[in-house]
């Protein structure tokens, strides 16, 4: 065990440390990394030179930037297009929930409304009035709604995009901002088509026709055809909502990805995995920051465990992945099953109820697993506080619990 928890890396180990750091982040595709290639390269260079103080400083700054990076999403479209439903879906708030955007309101709005994400403090969604209600040319409209503060625009329609909305897209492009066209309520279209033509109904053919009608509109207006996302805010795992999320993650600046990834609804195993990877990278960077300059001697297996910090971390992960007690109660209510029945299928609620010696054995087992997966890192003698190893284990357990609940919610998927 002493080999796993040695003091600050010696100079001859710096090359190995740099190699281990590089290898770790190369395991993630560039679009899933939460720090930029430039930052990764700077840290690698410092480690190679043995400048651990500078490497530590860069990691500290990166963590601070990631944690504090604001994300502002603008949603616009005509009244009744489904803007509020989309905003609530992105915030994982039910329509009747506290602070939800009002759904089904027919009167047009001429002001900008903001909605904070209930779990991600720096994520704000902005409900913009439809350009038709503002009576301004697109450029003036963008200035009126303070376009500079938004990371991107989502233009929502439930029928056909108006010429004003198409002109707005052109103006957004000129302003060098990203925009995305979302066709909402496709489930209603499919239901109506099935009722009117039950014998000829083919789901995929209808979706192709809807998409084609939009692409034809763009061609008629001499606009390069963008990607069209067909969604239902009532059934996020179906249609193009997962593809929309993947596109937004890829197009966001690197330092903003982590906060956006944390906001992803648990609608597919891929979404849960992306969220898991973002949290894991953040823990790993925190652990490395603390480990680079550590001079802590080898201690007993549980002697340096910070139980209060562990509890706080576990509670945070459970809340983030929707396996906390409150989320379980809501899910049990929707499914009309006892909450204890759901809880029995999970492992994370019981992790800190283990006896101390059991927790110690758990840590030893996880260390063995971690060492086999990250041998190059541990060979450098880098010191990770034992608390971090258990945080990794807690995160693994919570993510697996989220996948269990996903199967409960969508058994056929």
């Amino acid at each position: 065990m002493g080999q796993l928890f040695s003091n600050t890396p010696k100079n001859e180990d710096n090359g190995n440390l740099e190699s281990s750091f590089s290898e770790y982040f190369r395991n993630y595709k560039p679009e899933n990394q939460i720090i930029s290639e430039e930052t990764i390269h700077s840290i690698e260079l410092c480690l190679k030179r043995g400048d651990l103080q500078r490497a530590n400083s860069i990691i500290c700054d990166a963590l601070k930037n990631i944690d504090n990076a604001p994300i502002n999403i603008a949603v616009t479209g005509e009244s009744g297009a489904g803007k509020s439903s989309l905003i609530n879906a992105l915030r994982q708030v039910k329509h009747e929930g506290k602070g939800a955007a009002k759904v089904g309101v027919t009167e047009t709005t001429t002001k900008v409304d903001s909605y904070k994400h209930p779990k991600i403090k720096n994520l704000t969604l902005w409900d913009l009035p439809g350009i038709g209600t503002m009576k301004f040319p697109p450029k003036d409209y963008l200035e009126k709604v303070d376009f500079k503060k938004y990371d991107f625009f989502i233009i929502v329609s439930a029928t056909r995009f108006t010429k004003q909305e198409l002109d707005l897209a052109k103006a957004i492009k000129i302003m060098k901002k990203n925009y995305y066209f979302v066709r909402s309520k496709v489930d209603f279209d499919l239901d109506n088509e099935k009722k009117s033509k039950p014998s000829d109904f083919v789901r995929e053919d209808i979706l192709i026709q809807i998409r084609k009608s939009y692409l034809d509109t763009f061609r008629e207006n001499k606009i390069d055809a963008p990607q069209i996302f067909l969604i239902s805010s009532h059934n996020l795992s179906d249609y193009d909502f997962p593809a929309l999320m993947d596109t937004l993650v890829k197009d966001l600046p690197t330092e903003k990805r982590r906060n956006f990834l944390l906001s992803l609804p648990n609608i597919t195993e891929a979404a849960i995995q992306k969220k898991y990877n973002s949290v894991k990278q953040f823990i790993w960077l925190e652990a490395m920051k603390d480990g680079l300059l550590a001079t802590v001697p080898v201690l007993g297996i549980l002697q340096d465990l910070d139980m209060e910090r562990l509890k706080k971390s576990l509670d945070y992960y459970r809340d983030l992945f929707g396996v906390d007690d409150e989320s379980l109660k809501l899910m049990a209510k929707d499914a009309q099953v006892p909450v204890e029945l759901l809880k029995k299928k999970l492992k994370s609620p019981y992790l800190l109820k283990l006896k101390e010696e059991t927790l110690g054995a758990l840590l030893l087992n996880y260390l063995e697993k971690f060492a086999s997966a990250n041998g190059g890192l541990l060979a450098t003698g880098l010191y990770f506080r034992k608390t971090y190893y258990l945080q990794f284990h807690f995160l693994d357990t919570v993510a697996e619990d989220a996948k269990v609940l996903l199967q409960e919610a969508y058994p056929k998927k």
Side-chain angles (χ1 to χ4, degrees), residues 49-226:
R49 292 173 177 170
D51 190 351
L52 303 188
Q53 187 78 46
R54 178 60 182 154
N56 178 276
S57 177
I58 294 173
I59 293 173
C60 283
D61 289 343
L63 287 169
K64 191 180 298 182
N65 289 338
I66 292 167
D67 211 27
N68 296 325
I71 303 173
N72 292 288
I73 302 172
V75 183
T76 187
E78 292 190 333
S79 179
K83 290 188 299 175
S84 296
S85 293
L86 176 59
I87 287 170
N88 290 336
L90 288 167
R91 295 171 65 231
Q92 300 181 57
V93 173
K94 292 191 174 184
H95 298 325
E96 67 275 12
K98 184 180 178 182
K102 292 181 181 179
V103 175
V105 178
T106 55
E107 65 267 19
T108 56
T109 177
T110 56
K111 65 184 181 70
V112 177
D113 290 320
S114 65
Y115 298 92
K116 290 279 187 184
H117 193 284
K119 294 184 180 181
I120 313 303
K121 62 181 180 181
N122 295 326
L123 174 57
T124 307
L125 289 113
W126 301 82
D127 185 353
L128 307 188
I131 186 169
T133 64
M134 296 287 282
K135 311 292 184 190
F136 292 124
K139 186 176 180 298
D140 293 343
Y141 169 89
L142 287 173
E143 290 174 353
K144 188 78 174 175
V145 299
D146 194 13
F147 80 95
K148 291 179 182 177
K149 71 181 174 188
Y150 307 117
D151 291 286
F152 53 80
F153 291 76
I154 297 176
I155 304 174
V156 185
S157 173
T159 51
R160 290 178 68 86
F161 291 115
T162 65
K163 186 177 186 307
Q164 288 171 315
E165 289 166 339
L166 295 173
D167 288 343
L168 176 62
K170 291 179 184 177
I172 293 171
K173 191 172 183 179
I174 291 171
M175 301 290 193
K176 297 184 178 178
K177 291 279 185 178
N178 286 339
Y179 66 89
Y180 307 90
F181 279 109
V182 167
R183 170 62 159 84
S184 64
K185 303 183 181 182
V186 292
D187 48 338
F188 294 158
D189 292 317
L190 290 171
D191 286 343
N192 291 335
E193 193 71 22
K194 192 172 185 178
K195 288 173 184 175
S196 62
K197 303 175 184 176
S199 59
D200 297 331
F201 178 79
V202 180
R203 181 181 185 272
E204 288 306 315
D205 288 350
I206 304 303
L207 292 175
I208 289 171
Q209 289 174 23
I210 293 172
R211 197 183 303 276
K212 183 178 182 302
S213 70
Y214 280 98
L215 295 176
D216 289 343
T217 301
F218 290 114
R219 278 192 284 269
E220 290 164 8
N221 286 272
K222 298 180 181 178
I223 299 176
D224 292 337

Side-chain angles (χ1 to χ4, degrees), residues 239-258:
Y239 315 110
D240 293 338
F241 189 86
L244 173 62
M245 295 299 98
D246 288 346
T247 302
L248 299 182
V249 169
K250 184 178 67 175
D251 290 351
L252 274 171
T254 309
E255 69 275 6
K256 297 194 178 195
R257 282 184 194 148
R258 181 243 185 183

Side-chain angles (χ1 to χ4, degrees), residues 302-319:
L302 291 178
Q303 197 171 334
D304 68 341
L305 283 180
D306 183 342
M307 297 304 294
E308 186 177 338
R309 180 176 178 179
L310 282 173
K311 183 182 184 308
K312 187 177 179 181
S313 296
L314 180 58
D315 289 346
Y316 171 67
Y317 302 149
R318 290 185 65 206
D319 180 57

Side-chain angles (χ1 to χ4, degrees), residues 19-34:
S19 174
S20 296
F21 178 86
S22 303
E23 185 178 344
Y24 181 83
F25 276 97
R26 297 298 179 261
N27 286 332
Y28 297 100
K29 293 179 180 178
E31 63 266 26
N32 294 329
Q33 291 173 354
I34 66 169

